[in-house]
Amino acid sequence: MYKVISSILYFIIVKLSKSLTVHGKENIPQLNKYVATCTHESYNEVIMLGMSIFPTQIHYMAKKELFKNKLFGNFLLSLNAFPVDRENPGPSTLKKPIKLLKENKTVGIFPTGQRRQLSEDAPLKRGAVTIAMMGGAPILPAAYVGPKNILGLITGHAHIKFGEPIETKDLPKNMKRNERLEYLTKQLENSTRQLQVELNETVNSK
C-alpha cells in the first residue's frame, strides 16, 4: 500500500504541482539504514518527508492512540506506521524500529514527540538517538518550512532541508552510554536548529 500511495502522491505533489523543494539532497545516505528526523508542526511533514526521499520507504513511529480504531489502524500499518506508547515507553518500544534498521530499512521519527515548534523550551527527546545507536545507524536531520494544512500540499510550496548525517558509531569507547546519548542528542538538537534557521533564511529571501 505504501508504494502505491507514495507513488501517487509523488506524482501529484512533486511532478504535477511542483510543491516541494528539497535542499541538501546530497546528504541523504545511499544505504537505506538510517533514522530520518524532522521538525514537526503539522501532519504535512510526515507526507513531505516521505516525498523528499522517495522512492525509499519510511517506517514511521506513531502514537498508539491512532491505532484504537481497528480499520484506521490497519490502514496505518499498511503505510509502514507502527504504534508506540509515548506515555510509558519501555524496551518493547525500541524493538520494532531497531529491527527495521537491522533489516536495512529507514525509520522516521519526529524527536519533539508531538506537533510543536522547535523552540528553546522544546528539547529533542532521546528516542531517535537511542534507536539509532542501538540499531547501529546514522541520523539524518531535517527541517521543514511550508504549508500546515493538507490542501497546502498541492496549492502551496514546501521546503525540506537535510543536514549532514550524524554518525552514532564513531564515538570514543571510553564514553559511557548516557554520555553518548547526551552528546548525540545535543548534536541532533544543534543541527536541527541550525537547519531550521538556514531554511527560514532561504525561504524568506525569495
Side-chain angles (χ1 to χ4, degrees):
M1 182 69 77
Y2 184 104
K3 186 175 181 181
V4 172
I5 291 181
S6 63
S7 296
I8 294 170
L9 287 175
Y10 188 81
F11 175 75
I12 294 172
I13 294 172
V14 179
K15 295 294 186 181
L16 199 61
S17 301
K18 301 186 185 303
S19 300
L20 176 64
T21 299
V22 181
H23 309 262
K25 226 174 181 180
E26 68 278 3
N27 290 320
I28 300 174
Q30 291 187 344
L31 297 177
N32 291 342
K33 182 181 179 180
Y34 60 89
V35 174
T37 67
C38 189
T39 50
H40 190 32
E41 296 181 46
S42 70
Y43 287 113
N44 284 10
E45 290 92 329
V46 177
I47 296 172
M48 288 309 203
L49 185 61
M51 295 297 94
S52 66
I53 67 169
F54 181 87
T56 298
Q57 296 190 23
I58 298 184
H59 297 258
Y60 282 115
M61 295 180 73
K63 59 183 180 181
K64 68 174 186 178
E65 289 79 7
L66 293 174
F67 295 80
K68 282 185 177 179
N69 181 292
K70 189 174 182 181
L71 189 63
F72 186 62
N74 287 336
F75 175 68
L76 290 177
L77 289 172
S78 73
L79 295 180
N80 292 349
F82 56 94
V84 295
D85 187 347
R86 288 180 177 174
E87 299 301 321
N88 299 292
S92 60
T93 304
L94 305 177
K95 286 182 181 178
K96 177 67 174 180
I98 291 171
K99 181 175 182 291
L100 288 167
L101 289 173
K102 290 185 176 179
E103 292 173 351
N104 295 317
K105 294 176 180 177
T106 302
V107 174
I109 302 176
F110 297 96
T112 51
Q114 55 187 319
R115 299 190 308 279
R116 64 188 295 179
Q117 291 184 341
L118 184 68
S119 58
E120 290 301 327
D121 61 348
L124 295 178
K125 294 189 175 182
R126 290 186 172 190
V129 172
T130 302
I131 289 165
M133 279 178 53
M134 295 182 70
I139 303 169
L140 179 66
Y144 171 90
V145 170
K148 296 178 177 60
N149 63 319
I150 294 296
L151 186 59
L153 292 174
I154 299 172
T155 60
H157 196 91
H159 296 258
I160 281 185
K161 182 168 185 175
F162 291 109
E164 292 185 8
I166 299 171
E167 295 297 334
T168 60
K169 296 189 294 184
D170 299 334
L171 298 177
K173 292 183 179 179
N174 61 348
M175 287 181 75
K176 296 179 180 178
R177 183 176 182 275
N178 280 342
E179 291 175 336
R180 294 199 300 270
L181 276 172
E182 187 67 33
Y183 174 81
L184 289 170
T185 300
K186 196 65 181 176
Q187 197 174 355
L188 174 58
E189 188 170 331
N190 291 339
S191 177
T192 304
R193 291 188 193 283
Q194 185 61 35
L195 285 169
Q196 191 72 71
V197 169
E198 292 173 357
L199 191 53
N200 285 336
E201 291 176 348
T202 298
V203 173
N204 291 335
S205 66
K206 291 185 177 181

